[in-house]
Each structure stands twice: as structure tokens, then as C-alpha cells.
Amino acid sequence: YESGELKYRGEHWQECAHGKGTAYWKNGNVWCNGSFKDHQPHGYCRIYFRDGGLRYEGRLEEGLPYGPGREFFDNGQLRFEGVFDRQTHHYGYGARKYVRGKLYSGKGRLIHNGDFVSDGHQSKPVLSKSDEPLSPFESLLTGQAGILPIDVG
């Protein structure tokens, strides 16, 4: 950075972060630790929140989660563990694209274990007939909220 703080330490190729290395937030905390290709996380990596908490660990392809990985809430609780599809999700931006795995609430409660389908903006659990119906709150968390009945009486 212009302030003289370390931005990246690791292997380079043609002046690009390429190979094993560590990239840093401006505050000096680690942003990403793992493999890089053309300045982007690529291969197995750990991505961290600005405050230092683990945000994601797993495989990335050109900066996008792809394949097996784990995503965490900022409180440290596991959010999702399973398979990611990189096509609609740039890590930290945009929609999440889960393919198959376990989705948890922010308090660590398992919400869904199985397949997910994407509407192009977000992933939604695929419910089977044997799945328990979701509570209204869990429906909001998983993006399956419809119009909730309102008692006007």
C-alpha cells in the first residue's frame, strides 16, 4: 500500500502474486492465505474478515469458491459446509451459489442438509417430502420466504 504497509508476501511470477502467499487488509490483518494465480486466490485458501475472523476455507478458482469449502458467519459460527459453484459468487460479493452441503443458522443450528438450487441470485435448499417444514424465520434465512399470513383481527 502507499502507506508502506505490506499488501502481499509470497511467490511472484511476472510481477503478479502467483504461487503460495499471504495478502493483507490495509489494517495489517491477513485477508487471504494460500495459493494465488494472477493476483487472485486460486487453489486451497483461507479468506478472513477484516477483523481477523475466518470467513472461508476451501478451494477457489480465479478468486471464486469452487468445489469443497466452508463458509463462516462473522461471529465464527459455521454458515455452510459443502460444495460451491463459482459461476455466480465472487467471494464477499454477490450471490452465494451452494450446490450440496449443510447450511447453518448464525447460532449453529443445522437448517438444511442436502442439495441446493439457484435462481441466479441465491441458492435455496431443495426440500424433499420427508424434510421438516421450515419455520418463518428459517424461511427468511434460506431465501424461501413467501408471503407470511398476517392476523389483522
Side-chain angles (χ1 to χ4, degrees):
Y1 294 103
E2 291 177 15
S3 64
E5 298 166 17
L6 189 61
K7 190 176 194 177
Y8 173 81
R9 176 183 292 160
E11 298 173 353
H12 290 80
W13 182 71
Q14 295 185 350
E15 299 183 23
C16 287
H18 197 91
K20 302 250 185 249
T22 303
Y24 298 87
W25 290 102
K26 283 186 177 184
N27 67 8
N29 287 343
V30 172
W31 169 68
C32 178
N33 182 276
S35 297
F36 290 79
K37 178 181 176 185
D38 299 326
H39 284 309
Q40 295 185 28
H42 188 88
Y44 180 82
C45 294
R46 287 181 173 194
I47 305 286
Y48 297 88
F49 289 102
R50 193 176 308 267
D51 68 4
L54 184 61
R55 183 174 196 166
Y56 175 83
E57 72 176 338
R59 187 167 181 261
L60 290 104
E61 190 171 287
E62 297 175 350
L64 305 170
Y66 181 69
R70 298 184 332 150
E71 181 180 36
F72 298 87
F73 287 102
D74 58 4
N75 68 3
Q77 290 287 331
L78 184 62
R79 178 185 187 119
F80 178 78
E81 179 174 36
V83 179
F84 289 79
D85 183 346
R86 73 182 186 96
Q87 294 178 359
T88 62
H89 184 286
H90 182 276
Y91 203 75
Y93 306 98
R96 288 174 183 81
K97 177 79 179 200
Y98 305 137
V99 177
R100 180 177 305 108
K102 296 176 182 179
L103 180 67
Y104 296 88
S105 74
K107 295 189 177 190
R109 182 169 178 260
L110 180 64
I111 295 173
H112 181 73
N113 182 6
D115 293 332
F116 291 79
V117 64
S118 174
D119 65 4
H121 298 287
Q122 62 184 357
S123 295
K124 297 178 181 180
V126 176
L127 302 176
S128 69
K129 290 183 181 182
S130 64
D131 284 337
E132 230 179 87
L134 299 176
S135 72
F137 179 69
E138 290 169 334
S139 295
L140 288 171
L141 283 176
T142 61
Q144 293 195 24
I147 297 173
L148 299 176
I150 299 173
D151 184 5
V152 293

